[in-house]
Amino acid sequence: MIPITIVIPVGPSEANKRWLPEALDSIRQQTLLPDEVLIISDMAGLPQGMDHRQSYPIRTWPTPWRLGIAAAFNCGVALSSNECIFMLGSD
């Protein structure tokens, strides 16, 4: 199987943060699970680190300043451990 990374940028608006748990739940319900989920916290104030409660690691990377969705996706692609990347909006 090809290793897969899912990149989710999360901005500072409440709409982005409110739907993040549902986006992660949707990933858990898929037939083929990713090897990692990379959350780009674009000034969203999300906690940093790994979440090992899942069957795949969730890494959170905080941006040093507000990038916007497109640049946050690009950061996720650059930080990914895998070549196959799926981009998922948090909202």
PDB file of all heavy atoms in Angstrom, residues 3-9 23 26-27 30 34 36-38 73 76-77 80 82-89:
ATOM      1  N   PRO A   3       1.886   4.820   1.286  1.00  0.00           N
ATOM      2  CA  PRO A   3       1.675   5.626   2.496  1.00  0.00           C
ATOM      3  C   PRO A   3       1.017   6.964   2.149  1.00  0.00           C
ATOM      4  O   PRO A   3       1.395   7.626   1.183  1.00  0.00           O
ATOM      5  CB  PRO A   3       3.077   5.829   3.064  1.00  0.00           C
ATOM      6  CG  PRO A   3       4.030   5.312   2.066  1.00  0.00           C
ATOM      7  CD  PRO A   3       3.279   4.591   0.994  1.00  0.00           C
ATOM      8  N   ILE A   4       0.035   7.339   2.959  1.00  0.00           N
ATOM      9  CA  ILE A   4      -0.763   8.545   2.693  1.00  0.00           C
ATOM     10  C   ILE A   4      -0.677   9.509   3.872  1.00  0.00           C
ATOM     11  O   ILE A   4      -0.745   9.101   5.033  1.00  0.00           O
ATOM     12  CB  ILE A   4      -2.244   8.177   2.459  1.00  0.00           C
ATOM     13  CG1 ILE A   4      -2.383   7.262   1.261  1.00  0.00           C
ATOM     14  CG2 ILE A   4      -3.105   9.422   2.297  1.00  0.00           C
ATOM     15  CD1 ILE A   4      -3.770   6.680   1.105  1.00  0.00           C
ATOM     16  N   THR A   5      -0.559  10.788   3.542  1.00  0.00           N
ATOM     17  CA  THR A   5      -0.650  11.867   4.531  1.00  0.00           C
ATOM     18  C   THR A   5      -1.878  12.696   4.202  1.00  0.00           C
ATOM     19  O   THR A   5      -2.132  12.999   3.044  1.00  0.00           O
ATOM     20  CB  THR A   5       0.598  12.775   4.477  1.00  0.00           C
ATOM     21  OG1 THR A   5       1.742  12.018   4.847  1.00  0.00           O
ATOM     22  CG2 THR A   5       0.452  13.964   5.424  1.00  0.00           C
ATOM     23  N   ILE A   6      -2.641  13.056   5.225  1.00  0.00           N
ATOM     24  CA  ILE A   6      -3.754  13.988   5.057  1.00  0.00           C
ATOM     25  C   ILE A   6      -3.350  15.299   5.710  1.00  0.00           C
ATOM     26  O   ILE A   6      -2.937  15.323   6.873  1.00  0.00           O
ATOM     27  CB  ILE A   6      -5.053  13.443   5.683  1.00  0.00           C
ATOM     28  CG1 ILE A   6      -5.488  12.182   4.948  1.00  0.00           C
ATOM     29  CG2 ILE A   6      -6.151  14.509   5.636  1.00  0.00           C
ATOM     30  CD1 ILE A   6      -6.731  11.539   5.495  1.00  0.00           C
ATOM     31  N   VAL A   7      -3.431  16.384   4.941  1.00  0.00           N
ATOM     32  CA  VAL A   7      -3.079  17.722   5.430  1.00  0.00           C
ATOM     33  C   VAL A   7      -4.372  18.506   5.646  1.00  0.00           C
ATOM     34  O   VAL A   7      -5.210  18.603   4.749  1.00  0.00           O
ATOM     35  CB  VAL A   7      -2.172  18.458   4.421  1.00  0.00           C
ATOM     36  CG1 VAL A   7      -1.917  19.886   4.882  1.00  0.00           C
ATOM     37  CG2 VAL A   7      -0.863  17.713   4.237  1.00  0.00           C
ATOM     38  N   ILE A   8      -4.513  19.072   6.858  1.00  0.00           N
ATOM     39  CA  ILE A   8      -5.692  19.874   7.198  1.00  0.00           C
ATOM     40  C   ILE A   8      -5.225  21.228   7.732  1.00  0.00           C
ATOM     41  O   ILE A   8      -4.689  21.304   8.835  1.00  0.00           O
ATOM     42  CB  ILE A   8      -6.558  19.188   8.281  1.00  0.00           C
ATOM     43  CG1 ILE A   8      -6.934  17.774   7.880  1.00  0.00           C
ATOM     44  CG2 ILE A   8      -7.796  20.021   8.569  1.00  0.00           C
ATOM     45  CD1 ILE A   8      -7.631  16.993   8.985  1.00  0.00           C
ATOM     46  N   PRO A   9      -5.413  22.305   6.964  1.00  0.00           N
ATOM     47  CA  PRO A   9      -5.110  23.627   7.518  1.00  0.00           C
ATOM     48  C   PRO A   9      -6.281  24.124   8.368  1.00  0.00           C
ATOM     49  O   PRO A   9      -7.441  23.921   8.020  1.00  0.00           O
ATOM     50  CB  PRO A   9      -4.916  24.501   6.280  1.00  0.00           C
ATOM     51  CG  PRO A   9      -5.763  23.863   5.243  1.00  0.00           C
ATOM     52  CD  PRO A   9      -5.777  22.383   5.555  1.00  0.00           C
ATOM     53  N   ALA A  23     -14.070  16.539  10.989  1.00  0.00           N
ATOM     54  CA  ALA A  23     -13.165  16.151   9.899  1.00  0.00           C
ATOM     55  C   ALA A  23     -12.294  14.971  10.327  1.00  0.00           C
ATOM     56  O   ALA A  23     -12.111  14.014   9.570  1.00  0.00           O
ATOM     57  CB  ALA A  23     -12.294  17.331   9.485  1.00  0.00           C
ATOM     58  N   SER A  26     -14.364  11.850  10.408  1.00  0.00           N
ATOM     59  CA  SER A  26     -14.578  11.358   9.045  1.00  0.00           C
ATOM     60  C   SER A  26     -13.390  10.545   8.562  1.00  0.00           C
ATOM     61  O   SER A  26     -13.552   9.515   7.898  1.00  0.00           O
ATOM     62  CB  SER A  26     -14.830  12.537   8.108  1.00  0.00           C
ATOM     63  OG  SER A  26     -14.929  12.098   6.777  1.00  0.00           O
ATOM     64  N   ILE A  27     -12.187  10.980   8.907  1.00  0.00           N
ATOM     65  CA  ILE A  27     -10.977  10.228   8.524  1.00  0.00           C
ATOM     66  C   ILE A  27     -10.991   8.856   9.186  1.00  0.00           C
ATOM     67  O   ILE A  27     -10.694   7.845   8.556  1.00  0.00           O
ATOM     68  CB  ILE A  27      -9.706  11.012   8.912  1.00  0.00           C
ATOM     69  CG1 ILE A  27      -9.605  12.284   8.083  1.00  0.00           C
ATOM     70  CG2 ILE A  27      -8.463  10.152   8.736  1.00  0.00           C
ATOM     71  CD1 ILE A  27      -8.550  13.251   8.565  1.00  0.00           C
ATOM     72  N   GLN A  30     -12.989   6.026   7.421  1.00  0.00           N
ATOM     73  CA  GLN A  30     -12.632   5.584   6.077  1.00  0.00           C
ATOM     74  C   GLN A  30     -12.145   4.138   6.083  1.00  0.00           C
ATOM     75  O   GLN A  30     -11.641   3.639   7.088  1.00  0.00           O
ATOM     76  CB  GLN A  30     -11.546   6.494   5.488  1.00  0.00           C
ATOM     77  CG  GLN A  30     -11.957   7.940   5.371  1.00  0.00           C
ATOM     78  CD  GLN A  30     -13.212   8.121   4.550  1.00  0.00           C
ATOM     79  OE1 GLN A  30     -13.334   7.606   3.446  1.00  0.00           O
ATOM     80  NE2 GLN A  30     -14.170   8.858   5.103  1.00  0.00           N
ATOM     81  N   PRO A  34      -5.010   6.807   6.804  1.00  0.00           N
ATOM     82  CA  PRO A  34      -3.733   7.406   6.413  1.00  0.00           C
ATOM     83  C   PRO A  34      -2.616   6.951   7.355  1.00  0.00           C
ATOM     84  O   PRO A  34      -2.867   6.432   8.441  1.00  0.00           O
ATOM     85  CB  PRO A  34      -3.989   8.905   6.569  1.00  0.00           C
ATOM     86  CG  PRO A  34      -4.996   8.974   7.669  1.00  0.00           C
ATOM     87  CD  PRO A  34      -5.886   7.777   7.464  1.00  0.00           C
ATOM     88  N   GLU A  36      -0.441   9.247   8.396  1.00  0.00           N
ATOM     89  CA  GLU A  36      -0.343  10.396   9.294  1.00  0.00           C
ATOM     90  C   GLU A  36      -1.362  11.449   8.887  1.00  0.00           C
ATOM     91  O   GLU A  36      -1.771  11.517   7.727  1.00  0.00           O
ATOM     92  CB  GLU A  36       1.064  11.006   9.287  1.00  0.00           C
ATOM     93  CG  GLU A  36       1.409  11.740   8.030  1.00  0.00           C
ATOM     94  CD  GLU A  36       2.749  12.475   8.084  1.00  0.00           C
ATOM     95  OE1 GLU A  36       3.290  12.693   9.183  1.00  0.00           O
ATOM     96  OE2 GLU A  36       3.237  12.839   7.007  1.00  0.00           O
ATOM     97  N   VAL A  37      -1.761  12.249   9.876  1.00  0.00           N
ATOM     98  CA  VAL A  37      -2.589  13.419   9.631  1.00  0.00           C
ATOM     99  C   VAL A  37      -1.774  14.603  10.123  1.00  0.00           C
ATOM    100  O   VAL A  37      -1.275  14.601  11.251  1.00  0.00           O
ATOM    101  CB  VAL A  37      -3.940  13.342  10.374  1.00  0.00           C
ATOM    102  CG1 VAL A  37      -4.697  14.648  10.252  1.00  0.00           C
ATOM    103  CG2 VAL A  37      -4.770  12.198   9.835  1.00  0.00           C
ATOM    104  N   LEU A  38      -1.609  15.589   9.259  1.00  0.00           N
ATOM    105  CA  LEU A  38      -0.824  16.774   9.587  1.00  0.00           C
ATOM    106  C   LEU A  38      -1.764  17.975   9.630  1.00  0.00           C
ATOM    107  O   LEU A  38      -2.334  18.362   8.611  1.00  0.00           O
ATOM    108  CB  LEU A  38       0.265  16.968   8.539  1.00  0.00           C
ATOM    109  CG  LEU A  38       1.228  18.122   8.705  1.00  0.00           C
ATOM    110  CD1 LEU A  38       1.900  18.082  10.068  1.00  0.00           C
ATOM    111  CD2 LEU A  38       2.275  18.076   7.609  1.00  0.00           C
ATOM    112  N   PHE A  73      -1.681  24.933   3.180  1.00  0.00           N
ATOM    113  CA  PHE A  73      -1.647  23.658   2.464  1.00  0.00           C
ATOM    114  C   PHE A  73      -0.232  23.384   1.952  1.00  0.00           C
ATOM    115  O   PHE A  73       0.276  22.271   2.059  1.00  0.00           O
ATOM    116  CB  PHE A  73      -2.619  23.659   1.284  1.00  0.00           C
ATOM    117  CG  PHE A  73      -3.997  23.168   1.606  1.00  0.00           C
ATOM    118  CD1 PHE A  73      -5.105  23.928   1.254  1.00  0.00           C
ATOM    119  CD2 PHE A  73      -4.211  21.947   2.223  1.00  0.00           C
ATOM    120  CE1 PHE A  73      -6.393  23.480   1.536  1.00  0.00           C
ATOM    121  CE2 PHE A  73      -5.491  21.492   2.510  1.00  0.00           C
ATOM    122  CZ  PHE A  73      -6.586  22.262   2.162  1.00  0.00           C
ATOM    123  N   GLY A  76       1.957  22.129   4.628  1.00  0.00           N
ATOM    124  CA  GLY A  76       1.638  20.732   4.910  1.00  0.00           C
ATOM    125  C   GLY A  76       2.269  19.780   3.916  1.00  0.00           C
ATOM    126  O   GLY A  76       2.785  18.729   4.285  1.00  0.00           O
ATOM    127  N   VAL A  77       2.259  20.167   2.651  1.00  0.00           N
ATOM    128  CA  VAL A  77       2.896  19.334   1.623  1.00  0.00           C
ATOM    129  C   VAL A  77       4.396  19.240   1.896  1.00  0.00           C
ATOM    130  O   VAL A  77       4.997  18.166   1.821  1.00  0.00           O
ATOM    131  CB  VAL A  77       2.615  19.901   0.211  1.00  0.00           C
ATOM    132  CG1 VAL A  77       3.468  19.214  -0.836  1.00  0.00           C
ATOM    133  CG2 VAL A  77       1.136  19.754  -0.116  1.00  0.00           C
ATOM    134  N   SER A  80       5.130  16.948   4.961  1.00  0.00           N
ATOM    135  CA  SER A  80       4.623  15.583   4.898  1.00  0.00           C
ATOM    136  C   SER A  80       5.755  14.551   4.862  1.00  0.00           C
ATOM    137  O   SER A  80       6.796  14.773   4.253  1.00  0.00           O
ATOM    138  CB  SER A  80       3.746  15.411   3.657  1.00  0.00           C
ATOM    139  OG  SER A  80       3.387  14.063   3.505  1.00  0.00           O
ATOM    140  N   ASN A  82       5.220  11.655   3.500  1.00  0.00           N
ATOM    141  CA  ASN A  82       4.884  10.775   2.380  1.00  0.00           C
ATOM    142  C   ASN A  82       4.738  11.553   1.074  1.00  0.00           C
ATOM    143  O   ASN A  82       4.555  12.766   1.080  1.00  0.00           O
ATOM    144  CB  ASN A  82       3.569  10.039   2.683  1.00  0.00           C
ATOM    145  CG  ASN A  82       3.657   9.245   3.964  1.00  0.00           C
ATOM    146  OD1 ASN A  82       4.551   8.451   4.136  1.00  0.00           O
ATOM    147  ND2 ASN A  82       2.745   9.498   4.877  1.00  0.00           N
ATOM    148  N   GLU A  83       4.784  10.829  -0.028  1.00  0.00           N
ATOM    149  CA  GLU A  83       4.626  11.455  -1.339  1.00  0.00           C
ATOM    150  C   GLU A  83       3.168  11.578  -1.755  1.00  0.00           C
ATOM    151  O   GLU A  83       2.809  12.444  -2.533  1.00  0.00           O
ATOM    152  CB  GLU A  83       5.399  10.665  -2.396  1.00  0.00           C
ATOM    153  CG  GLU A  83       6.895  10.771  -2.235  1.00  0.00           C
ATOM    154  CD  GLU A  83       7.643  10.042  -3.317  1.00  0.00           C
ATOM    155  OE1 GLU A  83       7.055   9.782  -4.395  1.00  0.00           O
ATOM    156  OE2 GLU A  83       8.819   9.723  -3.093  1.00  0.00           O
ATOM    157  N   CYS A  84       2.309  10.703  -1.253  1.00  0.00           N
ATOM    158  CA  CYS A  84       0.884  10.749  -1.576  1.00  0.00           C
ATOM    159  C   CYS A  84       0.187  11.588  -0.491  1.00  0.00           C
ATOM    160  O   CYS A  84       0.157  11.205   0.683  1.00  0.00           O
ATOM    161  CB  CYS A  84       0.298   9.338  -1.634  1.00  0.00           C
ATOM    162  SG  CYS A  84      -1.409   9.317  -2.170  1.00  0.00           S
ATOM    163  N   ILE A  85      -0.348  12.739  -0.901  1.00  0.00           N
ATOM    164  CA  ILE A  85      -0.909  13.695   0.044  1.00  0.00           C
ATOM    165  C   ILE A  85      -2.339  14.017  -0.354  1.00  0.00           C
ATOM    166  O   ILE A  85      -2.608  14.329  -1.508  1.00  0.00           O
ATOM    167  CB  ILE A  85      -0.059  14.977   0.084  1.00  0.00           C
ATOM    168  CG1 ILE A  85       1.374  14.630   0.475  1.00  0.00           C
ATOM    169  CG2 ILE A  85      -0.663  15.993   1.036  1.00  0.00           C
ATOM    170  CD1 ILE A  85       2.361  15.726   0.232  1.00  0.00           C
ATOM    171  N   PHE A  86      -3.227  13.956   0.629  1.00  0.00           N
ATOM    172  CA  PHE A  86      -4.630  14.328   0.424  1.00  0.00           C
ATOM    173  C   PHE A  86      -4.863  15.606   1.215  1.00  0.00           C
ATOM    174  O   PHE A  86      -4.553  15.656   2.409  1.00  0.00           O
ATOM    175  CB  PHE A  86      -5.552  13.211   0.914  1.00  0.00           C
ATOM    176  CG  PHE A  86      -6.999  13.515   0.721  1.00  0.00           C
ATOM    177  CD1 PHE A  86      -7.613  13.310  -0.501  1.00  0.00           C
ATOM    178  CD2 PHE A  86      -7.757  14.006   1.766  1.00  0.00           C
ATOM    179  CE1 PHE A  86      -8.939  13.600  -0.691  1.00  0.00           C
ATOM    180  CE2 PHE A  86      -9.103  14.291   1.596  1.00  0.00           C
ATOM    181  CZ  PHE A  86      -9.689  14.092   0.367  1.00  0.00           C
ATOM    182  N   MET A  87      -5.399  16.622   0.568  1.00  0.00           N
ATOM    183  CA  MET A  87      -5.657  17.890   1.238  1.00  0.00           C
ATOM    184  C   MET A  87      -7.140  17.952   1.632  1.00  0.00           C
ATOM    185  O   MET A  87      -8.000  17.783   0.790  1.00  0.00           O
ATOM    186  CB  MET A  87      -5.300  19.046   0.315  1.00  0.00           C
ATOM    187  CG  MET A  87      -3.843  19.073  -0.031  1.00  0.00           C
ATOM    188  SD  MET A  87      -3.476  20.486  -1.046  1.00  0.00           S
ATOM    189  CE  MET A  87      -1.820  20.099  -1.552  1.00  0.00           C
ATOM    190  N   LEU A  88      -7.386  18.189   2.910  1.00  0.00           N
ATOM    191  CA  LEU A  88      -8.747  18.181   3.438  1.00  0.00           C
ATOM    192  C   LEU A  88      -8.993  19.491   4.189  1.00  0.00           C
ATOM    193  O   LEU A  88      -8.196  19.873   5.052  1.00  0.00           O
ATOM    194  CB  LEU A  88      -8.920  16.998   4.403  1.00  0.00           C
ATOM    195  CG  LEU A  88     -10.248  16.856   5.116  1.00  0.00           C
ATOM    196  CD1 LEU A  88     -11.372  16.580   4.123  1.00  0.00           C
ATOM    197  CD2 LEU A  88     -10.171  15.745   6.145  1.00  0.00           C
ATOM    198  N   GLY A  89     -10.075  20.178   3.851  1.00  0.00           N
ATOM    199  CA  GLY A  89     -10.448  21.384   4.566  1.00  0.00           C
ATOM    200  C   GLY A  89     -11.065  21.038   5.912  1.00  0.00           C
ATOM    201  O   GLY A  89     -11.809  20.065   6.022  1.00  0.00           O
TER     202      GLY A  89
END
